[in-house]
Amino acid sequence: MTIGVGGVSPQQALAKLCKMTDGVAAISEDEFHQRIQRAQQLMAQHGLDAIYVNAGTNLYYFTGTRWYSSERMVGAIIPAVGAMQYIAPAFELDTLQGYMAIQGQVNTWHEDQSPYQLFANVLDNMGLTQGQIGMDESTPFFISNGIAQAAPQHCFTSATTVTAGCRMIKSSAEIALMQRAKDMTLEVHKAAASILREGITTAEVEDFIDQAHYAVGAPNGSYFCIVLFGEDTAYPHGVKSPKSLAINDTVLIDTGCQLHGYNSDITRTYVFGEPSERQRQLWQLEQNAQLAAFAAAQIGTPCCEVDVAARKVLQDAGFGPGYKVPGLPHRTGHGIGLDIHEWPYLVGNDLTLLASGMCFSNEPMLCVPGEFGIRHEDHFYMTPQGPKWFTPPAKSIDDPFYLG
C-alpha cells in the first residue's frame, strides 16, 4: 500500500474510532495493600526501618493517592513494621482524604510550620527514634535536605531498592491496563496515517492524534506526541522548526496515552508515497535490530545484553560504533508503567536480570543525520517463558499496520 493515497479527512477518520475502555478495571484496593506489604518485605531485606514516598507516581503506586509534587510537602511514611501515615498541609486535609485509596493517619502542618520537623516527630511517634530511612528517589532536594537537617539522628539513603524493587515487576492488572492503552494508541496510529496529505503540518497531525486518543477513550487525550517528517526524523525527539509533509518523506510518529495512570508509547515509521531503496533497506535493518533485542530478552539475562544484541545488528551493517551517529544514539529500551520511563533500562550499564513481570519498550532507533531516521517502537513484557509483545511489530514499510 502507499501511505497517503486515498487519504480521508480528519473528521472521517475520527468518526471511525470508537471507545475502547469498556471492561477496564482500575487497580484494586487489595492490590495497593499488597504493594505496601511487598515494600515492607523489601525494607526488612535491605535493612530499612521506613521509607518516605513523595507526592507523584510512587505515592500513587503504594497508596492509590493521586497528588502532584509541588513546593508543599505531601507524602507518606511507610514503616517496615506498622501502619503507614501521611504528611500534608492542614488546609489540604479534606481534599487529600477524598483522593485516598488507602486510609491512614494524616499528620498536618500549617503554612508557618516546618513539615520537615513534623516528619521527624512522626518518626518518633512511630517508635523510630533513630534508624535507616529510605527516601523516594524522586523527592526534590529541598524536601530531602530539610528532612535530613530536622532529623540528624537518622541515616538517610535512597529507597530505590524498595520503590523500583516493587514497581519493576508488574501485576496482571497492571499489564492488562498497559495492554489496553497500547491497543488504543495503535488504533490512533492507524487513523493518523490515513489523514496524511502533502503539505500537512506536524501541528495538525498532533492535534488529530490528541482528538483520536480522546475518541478511543483516553481520559486526557495524548499523554505526549512527536510527529516528524523527512530529514527531521533523524533527530529522536524532534527539531525546533519541524517541516511540513512532502511526497516521499519519511514519517515518524511517536505517541501514547494513559489509562488509570498506565502508559502506552508506540512509534511507527513509514514513507508518505513510494519508499526509495535506501529507505527500504534502513527500515528493514532497524526492524532486524528490534527483533534481535526481543530474541535476546530471556529470563535471567542482564538488561545490558538486550542492548548489545540490537546494537550489534546496526554495527555489523556499518553504523556506530557504540552511540555514534549514523547509528543508534540512545538506549534500546526503557521500563514502563506509571512513569513512561522507569526501571529497569535496556542499556549497556544496566545489569538487572530480566524477570517475569518486567515491561519494556523496544526501540533501537537508527539515526542518519542529513537523510532520515527510523524508529520502530513496540513494547513487550516478560513471562516465565520469555518475552511477549504488547503490540506486534510493524509488518513492512509499505504496510506498517497489517492493513494490506
Side-chain angles (χ1 to χ4, degrees):
M1 63 184 293
T2 301
I3 302 294
V5 173
V8 300
S9 71
Q11 294 74 22
Q12 291 172 318
L14 288 172
K16 294 179 181 178
L17 296 173
C18 59
K19 186 179 178 183
M20 299 173 62
T21 54
D22 290 344
V24 171
I27 300 300
S28 68
E29 184 176 326
D30 283 346
E31 184 160 328
F32 288 120
H33 282 294
Q34 291 167 14
R35 292 172 177 181
I36 292 174
Q37 291 170 6
R38 174 59 178 156
Q40 291 176 321
Q41 292 170 358
L42 289 176
M43 280 184 249
Q45 290 177 23
H46 293 284
L48 295 175
D49 297 292
I51 64 169
Y52 170 72
V53 288
N54 197 55
T57 48
N58 277 330
L59 181 65
Y60 174 73
Y61 177 85
F62 289 107
T63 73
T65 304
R66 294 191 183 278
W67 204 270
Y68 292 100
S69 180
S70 73
E71 79 282 6
R72 293 185 173 97
M73 180 178 171
V74 175
I77 299 173
I78 305 175
V81 178
M84 172 200 67
Q85 295 189 32
Y86 293 92
I87 292 177
F91 76 93
E92 298 280 26
L93 175 60
D94 291 342
T95 303
L96 182 72
Q97 289 176 329
Y99 279 97
M100 287 180 186
I102 302 299
Q103 298 300 309
Q105 179 178 333
V106 183
N107 303 275
T108 61
W109 53 280
H110 290 289
E111 295 278 65
D112 61 349
Q113 296 175 321
S114 169
Y116 319 124
Q117 186 58 54
L118 176 61
F119 179 97
N121 295 343
V122 172
L123 289 181
D124 287 343
N125 294 337
M126 287 180 162
L128 300 176
T129 54
Q130 60 181 356
Q132 191 88 359
I133 310 300
M135 295 296 294
D136 178 346
E137 68 286 345
S138 66
T139 304
F141 175 77
F142 71 88
I143 294 179
S144 61
N145 185 56
I147 287 173
Q149 292 187 41
Q153 68 274 28
H154 294 284
C155 179
F156 293 95
T157 188
S158 172
T160 306
T161 54
V162 178
T163 54
C166 289
R167 289 180 55 184
M168 71 171 62
I169 305 298
K170 269 62 179 184
S171 68
S172 57
E174 291 179 287
I175 289 173
L177 284 169
M178 283 191 282
Q179 181 67 69
R180 186 64 61 89
K182 294 174 200 302
D183 291 343
M184 291 159 61
T185 290
L186 192 56
E187 292 304 310
V188 170
H189 264 291
K190 295 175 185 177
S194 76
I195 70 158
L196 296 181
R197 56 174 171 76
E198 198 168 357
I200 198 170
T201 66
T202 59
E204 288 176 287
V205 180
E206 289 166 2
D207 180 65
F208 171 83
I209 288 172
D210 189 47
Q211 294 180 62
H213 268 124
Y214 277 115
V216 295
N220 299 307
S222 297
Y223 178 65
F224 76 99
C225 189
I226 299 170
V227 178
L228 300 168
F229 303 139
E231 183 186 343
D232 295 351
T233 59
Y235 305 94
H237 290 158
V239 296
K240 181 179 179 181
S241 302
K243 72 182 294 293
S244 298
L245 184 60
I247 195 68
N248 298 333
D249 266 351
T250 302
V251 175
L252 187 153
I253 298 177
D254 182 357
T255 189
C257 66
Q258 290 187 323
L259 187 60
H260 293 293
Y262 286 86
N263 286 277
S264 62
D265 178 10
I266 299 174
T267 306
R268 285 290 179 267
T269 307
Y270 42 86
V271 174
F272 176 73
E274 183 60 37
S276 67
E277 187 59 29
R278 174 75 165 169
Q279 288 168 318
R280 290 184 183 279
Q281 288 176 347
L282 297 194
W283 191 100
Q284 189 58 58
L285 180 63
E286 156 66 359
Q287 185 167 81
N288 292 346
Q290 185 191 40
L291 297 177
F294 183 79
Q298 299 298 321
I299 296 294
T301 297
C303 286
C304 58
E305 291 190 15
V306 180
D307 182 75
V308 168
R311 206 168 293 277
K312 184 178 186 302
V313 171
L314 302 179
Q315 289 181 177
D316 286 352
F319 291 95
Y323 293 85
K324 292 182 179 179
V325 293
L328 169 53
H330 58 63
R331 62 197 173 210
T332 291
H334 55 80
I336 189 168
L338 287 172
D339 288 313
I340 199 163
H341 294 172
E342 61 179 50
W343 332 262
Y345 294 91
L346 304 179
V347 68
N349 63 353
D350 195 327
L351 302 179
T352 306
L353 301 182
L354 295 176
S356 182
M358 291 181 176
C359 301
F360 297 95
S361 74
N362 184 351
E363 49 177 320
M365 182 177 185
L366 177 52
C367 299
V368 185
E371 293 187 59
F372 54 86
I374 306 287
R375 179 161 72 241
H376 303 309
E377 181 183 13
D378 295 282
H379 290 235
F380 65 86
Y381 59 96
M382 298 302 298
T383 75
Q385 293 74 40
K388 184 174 181 179
W389 292 110
F390 278 106
T391 52
K395 182 178 180 181
S396 70
I397 193 171
D398 299 300
D399 184 7
F401 306 111
Y402 290 82
L403 298 176

